[in-house]
């Protein structure tokens, strides 16, 4: 074989699409099977050949496989718990919305920086709730309380529901409900590209779907287990063509060697990949990387080889609403990141709105 030929004619690497999540284990909590959605999920679990059990409570789930804490953590992230949402008081969700609407908690992704590592503590399995009607009833009350103000609900505060939609169908129910609410709006963000079940849903422009995007370096280093950038952007094109208000969240914005090139290239690639037809009402949100001392400790245990820079000496302290200091970039770096990325956004998307930088 001619070596030169074999090198130059090497076939392009085939990149496989990111598959929808299939859990390794499933648990059903009491009452879950009294709801049609619980029964539907049970049938799906059986059809996939996923081992499952009944459990008296998600707090009593024990015996997940794994020798070490790390193995148990990884297995927990592949475990689905189907239950009834009892707490129908919604948390606030500033600055992106008024309230967090709870349809699921936990995520199969392995983003090193994810705040669910600390907020979900030692129970990072994926919980989905089957009593959507109760949840929507509570949402309706929150909407009514604020009329004539618009009330926005964020569905991705504690999970990535797009990555679970093929199991639950909950987003479809929320979108359909919100389409008829004059004063209600839904929004959610995702790192997954599995949006096909949402394309045919009647939304009335009342649901904004945002994709989490980042510089190539950040996605490659810190976001295992999520859809690739190209897949997310292709999905964003589908969402735009389905007439949904579209947005992008650049988060977490990370200061690394070469960040200017990385974020400039991100916006350039985004502009090149999105459909050419005018994208009406597109928004950007920008969130700089932050962490707490607890998060740093947990992340270093779970991802011991992470290159995530969490050197407290290089950061500025900021009081967080969870009663802990968080560490953000010093003012000078924040300003440089905000100004540079803002310029890049407006260069490629002059009609876009930037909702906030935080
Ligand atoms: Fe966390 Fe989102 Fe990554 Fe899931 S996809 S691990 S929710 S950051």
């Amino acid at each position: 074989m001619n070596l030169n030929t074999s090198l130059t004619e090497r076939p392009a690497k085939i990149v496989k699409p990111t598959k929808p999540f299939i859990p390794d284990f499933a648990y059903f909590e009491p009452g879950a099977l009294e709801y049609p959605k619980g029964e539907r999920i049970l049938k799906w679990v059986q059809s996939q050949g996923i081992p499952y059990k009944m459990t008296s409570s998600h707090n009593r789930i024990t015996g997940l496989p794994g020798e070490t804490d790390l193995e148990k953590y990884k297995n927990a992230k592949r475990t689905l718990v189907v239950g009834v949402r009892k707490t129908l008081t919604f948390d606030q969700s500033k600055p992106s919305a008024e309230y967090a609407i709870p349809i699921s908690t936990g995520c199969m992704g392995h983003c090193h920086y994810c705040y669910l590592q600390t907020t979900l503590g030692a129970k990072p399995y994926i919980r989905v709730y089957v009593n959507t009607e109760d949840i929507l009833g509570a949402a309706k009350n929150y909407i009514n309380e604020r009329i004539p103000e618009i009330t926005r609900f964020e569905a991705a505060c504690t999970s990535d529901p797009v990555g679970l939609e093929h199991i639950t169908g909950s987003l479809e129910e929320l979108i359909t409900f919100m389409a008829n609410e004059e004063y209600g709006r839904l929004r959610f963000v995702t790192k997954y590209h599995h949006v096909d079940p949402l394309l045919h849903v009647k939304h009335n422009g009342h649901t904004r779907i945002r994709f989490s995007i980042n510089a190539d370096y950040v996605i490659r280093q810190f976001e295992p287990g999520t859809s690739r950038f190209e897949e997310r952007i292709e999905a964003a094109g589908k969402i735009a063509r389905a007439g949904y208000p579209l947005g992008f969240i650049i988060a977490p914005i990370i200061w690394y060697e070469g960040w200017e090139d990385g974020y400039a290239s991100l916006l350039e690639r985004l502009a090149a990949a999105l459909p050419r037809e005018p994208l009406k009402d597109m928004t950007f949100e920008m969130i700089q990387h932050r962490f707490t001392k607890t998060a740093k400790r947990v992340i270093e245990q779970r991802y011991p080889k992470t290159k995530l820079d969490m050197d407290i000496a290089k950061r500025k302290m900021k009081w967080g609403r969870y009663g802990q200091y968080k560490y953000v970039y010093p003012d000078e770096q924040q300003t440089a990141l905000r100004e540079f990325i803002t310029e890049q956004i407006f260069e490629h998307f002059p009609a876009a709105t930037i909702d906030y930088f935080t």
Side-chain angles (χ1 to χ4, degrees), residues 95 253 286-290 318 326 328 334 356-358:
I253 296 174
M286 295 191 272
I287 306 174
Q288 63 173 309
H289 180 234
R290 74 269 320 275
K318 190 175 173 188
K326 54 190 172 187
V328 295
Q334 284 191 37
Y356 57 85
F357 173 99
T358 179

Side-chain angles (χ1 to χ4, degrees), residues 25 72 98 134 180 219 238 276 278:
F25 317 93
K72 287 196 173 112
E98 276 68 44
D134 299 339
N180 297 320
I219 294 182
K238 290 182 183 175
R276 283 176 184 268

Side-chain angles (χ1 to χ4, degrees), residues 286-297:
M286 295 191 272
I287 306 174
Q288 63 173 309
H289 180 234
R290 74 269 320 275
F291 58 91
T292 59
K293 277 190 179 159
T294 314
K296 178 176 156 77
R297 187 175 36 77

Side-chain angles (χ1 to χ4, degrees), residues 77 107-111 113-116 158-160 191-192 226:
K77 268 188 166 273
C107 178
M108 51 281 166
H110 275 276
C111 304
Y113 52 73
C114 180
Y115 64 77
L116 297 184
T158 53
S159 177
D160 191 316
K191 286 189 172 73
Y192 290 92
T226 62

